[in-house]
Amino acid sequence: MTSTTTLPKVCPINRSTIRVLVLDDEPFMLRMLDRILKNLGCRSVVTCESGLAALAQLDPPSVRPDLILLDINMPNMDGVEFVRHLVDRHYAGALILVSGEDERVLQSVERLVLAHKITVFGHLSKPVTPERLAVLIDQWSPKPESVPKALKRTYAAHELHAAMVRGQLLNHYQPKVAVLSGEVVGVESLVRWQHPKDGMVFPDQFIGSAEQGGLIDKLTRTVLTHALAQARAWQDAGLSLRVAINLSMENLTSLNFLDYVVNLTTLAGVPPQKIVLEVTESSLMRDQRIPLEILTRLRLHRFCLSIDDFGTGNSSLSQLRDIPFDELKIDQSFVHGAWANDTQRAMFDASLSLAKQLKMESVAEGVEDRADWNFLRASGCDIAQGYFIAKPMPGHAVQNWIADWEKRRPLLIHP
Ligand code: G
Ligand code: G
Ligand code: MN
């Protein structure tokens, strides 16, 4: 009954104003895409047979295309190389990738483009259908380019140092819940910088400087001090929460760190079992012996050790072999959307199975929506963390959030 999909007769105004460039080495494809686009209501369509011709269309910047349909297989300049030129020219529009390659190739090119911070509306496998193209195009909106992104800057070590001296760092806490029961089991501390002028500054803007500028120890000590005070306050309020903090491998280069953590925890009156130390490997690490010693001894002191971002280049099997972790956090790139993506799902399943065989607790990060949650419920993973459950929040907001969560919880565990 629904065998023919009819296109909407009235096209969204958007489509007629959007400037589209189509780059494909096959003249036949160009003509076909041009025709489909025109039929969909796009009035401004430019077609180019080569990367060079397309790059010429990016000057002057005032008339740049809003959207480029890019064939990734081209004889001279291939699509990936073309993207590199777009990055050099600070292209701020969007891309749709077109190719006859298999899904995995398309997906990896898509990830590559996203890594360059260029918007990708998705990919089209050949043969292209008007319906699919319409869906992708309609993600476009004529809003001005995201200004906040341009403002996002990184901070030098001396600026961070001043911030720490002035007490401008604080922790936010993101809840972790048990997948089966929905019970709130803990939180992860995520450091924030309340900047007097720039507002809330996120760790990706300053952790790198802290590591390179010799400040990571001071930063971690600050985070741990706040986290322990908060853990103690929750404990006194009768809340049983495990509190996680993120360690950088640079923290694990001196044995003093061990004494510091043990002493501070004892002083706070919080059982070490309630403190989770999340570790990712740093590519800078050469001598593994000291970190291994510190982590093993922390474990002997009954702290929980967690391997963070598992499955990404930084957290590897050899770490898992060498360090007695209690918890494995499956990286969000394998979690969000895994229900719809066979590759991600295979990696998710493999990581989960590894956690189970090693008798570690499994945590899925990046649970962003109901579909992710449903997927997890069926997966056998122990703990979930992500925007679907809660975004990171100030410590004082956690108790109220738990009360709200308790109301939502029955619906999530008995759908
Ligand atoms: O939510 P968010 O933007 O806070 O976190 C971004 C990254 O910063 C994550 O990879 C997280 O592990 C890292 N991060 C957050 N807080 C800390 C911290 O206190 N120490 C270290 N080393 N990394 C942190
Ligand atoms: O690297 P680490 O796992 O420590 O850091 C967690 C990071 O992931 C933080 O930046 C946090 O804000 C972010 N985060 C937490 N939940 C979600 C989610 O559901 N989706 C996305 N995209 N990011 C998330
Ligand atoms: Mn973490």
Side-chain angles (χ1 to χ4, degrees):
M1 271 196 297
T2 52
S3 59
T4 50
T5 323
T6 44
L7 296 171
K9 293 220 167 56
V10 187
C11 18
I13 317 149
N14 270 351
R15 290 191 197 152
S16 65
T17 55
I18 178 172
R19 286 191 298 266
V20 188
L21 185 152
V22 187
L23 170 54
D24 199 306
D25 63 299
E26 292 172 52
F28 163 75
M29 271 306 285
L30 282 181
R31 281 197 302 278
M32 191 179 79
L33 286 169
D34 184 54
R35 202 182 58 236
I36 298 178
L37 285 162
K38 298 266 170 61
N39 284 341
L40 289 173
C42 297
R43 287 206 214 117
S44 164
V45 182
V46 174
T47 59
C48 297
E49 262 182 59
S50 73
L52 281 180
L55 289 174
Q57 296 290 327
L58 295 177
D59 290 321
S62 57
V63 293
R64 281 185 171 184
D66 303 304
L67 174 65
I68 300 177
L69 267 61
L70 172 64
D71 176 18
I72 56 181
N73 320 78
M74 293 182 295
N76 294 317
M77 186 190 298
D78 65 50
V80 176
E81 189 184 349
F82 180 73
V83 168
R84 179 156 289 292
H85 289 289
L86 289 181
V87 174
D88 291 342
R89 285 166 176 74
H90 305 287
Y91 174 65
L95 278 185
I96 291 177
L97 304 172
V98 188
S99 172
E101 292 289 339
D102 71 36
E103 273 288 305
R104 292 206 32 209
V105 174
L106 276 163
Q107 282 170 14
S108 62
V109 177
E110 195 170 321
R111 262 196 296 279
L112 195 64
V113 177
L114 286 170
H116 284 304
K117 307 248 185 320
I118 292 183
T119 307
V120 191
F121 287 163
H123 53 256
L124 289 167
S125 304
K126 291 182 182 178
V128 172
T129 65
E131 292 79 11
R132 168 95 178 129
L133 184 53
V135 168
L136 295 185
I137 292 181
D138 287 342
Q139 294 174 68
W140 186 76
S141 65
K143 64 176 182 310
E145 294 318 325
S146 50
V147 181
K149 260 193 190 142
L151 291 175
K152 201 166 174 179
R153 64 164 180 112
T154 50
Y155 294 80
H158 71 271
E159 297 174 278
L160 180 61
H161 186 258
M164 288 196 278
V165 172
R166 296 184 185 127
Q168 292 167 359
L169 294 192
L170 71 159
N171 290 352
H172 276 190
Y173 299 91
Q174 186 177 37
K176 293 173 163 179
V177 303
V179 173
L180 277 191
S181 66
E183 188 191 351
V184 183
V185 292
V187 294
E188 174 178 3
S189 316
L190 294 157
V191 67
R192 303 288 182 252
W193 172 0
Q194 186 61 63
H195 194 287
K197 290 206 201 80
D198 302 347
M200 194 68 90
V201 177
F202 289 82
D204 55 339
Q205 293 168 271
F206 59 86
I207 293 287
S209 306
E211 286 176 342
Q212 280 143 32
L215 290 174
I216 195 68
D217 241 38
K218 193 168 166 59
L219 181 141
T220 306
R221 288 171 187 222
T222 307
V223 170
L224 179 65
T225 306
H226 291 160
L228 282 169
Q230 185 62 73
R232 177 59 196 254
W234 284 324
Q235 180 178 300
D236 291 346
L239 277 180
S240 174
L241 292 175
R242 269 188 296 182
V243 179
I245 71 159
N246 287 286
L247 297 188
S248 158
M249 267 290 174
E250 319 310 311
N251 289 131
L252 304 177
T253 48
S254 138
L255 291 170
N256 295 336
F257 185 75
L258 171 87
D259 295 330
Y260 185 83
V261 173
V262 173
N263 292 339
L264 210 63
T265 306
T266 310
L267 219 62
V270 175
Q273 290 89 332
K274 290 287 181 191
I275 301 300
V276 181
L277 304 167
E278 297 191 4
V279 189
T280 43
E281 191 173 70
S282 150
S283 45
L284 303 170
M285 286 305 302
R286 260 171 253 109
D287 188 351
Q288 292 281 348
R289 284 168 300 184
I290 296 181
L292 192 59
E293 174 174 346
I294 299 178
L295 290 172
T296 307
R297 287 173 59 196
L298 282 166
R299 176 69 200 280
L300 289 171
H301 280 92
R302 301 284 179 262
F303 287 88
C304 289
L305 301 184
S306 170
I307 182 165
D308 206 355
D309 304 334
F310 186 75
T312 65
N314 291 336
S315 280
S316 60
L317 290 175
S318 57
Q319 258 197 312
L320 205 51
R321 178 196 59 206
D322 297 336
I323 301 170
F325 287 107
D326 305 274
E327 177 183 277
L328 182 149
K329 293 189 82 174
I330 306 175
D331 190 69
Q332 47 185 285
S333 62
F334 304 114
V335 175
H336 172 54
W339 57 274
N341 180 314
D342 292 343
T343 311
Q344 260 174 273
R345 194 189 175 130
M347 281 151 201
F348 176 91
D349 288 343
S351 308
L352 185 59
S353 148
L354 209 48
K356 292 211 178 298
Q357 290 177 59
L358 297 174
K359 308 216 167 17
M360 296 163 65
E361 276 205 301
S362 47
V363 182
E365 303 183 82
V367 181
E368 272 191 33
D369 51 35
R370 180 75 196 219
D372 291 343
W373 173 259
N374 290 345
F375 165 74
L376 270 196
R377 294 268 306 156
S379 75
C381 181
D382 300 314
I383 295 169
Q385 179 180 351
Y387 296 163
F388 178 69
I389 297 142
K391 292 205 164 161
M393 63 187 89
H396 63 77
V398 169
Q399 271 182 289
N400 279 339
W401 175 82
I402 294 179
D404 285 345
W405 172 259
E406 288 303 327
K407 289 182 210 143
R408 259 173 92 195
R409 177 175 159 191
L411 297 170
L412 293 172
I413 58 174
H414 307 292

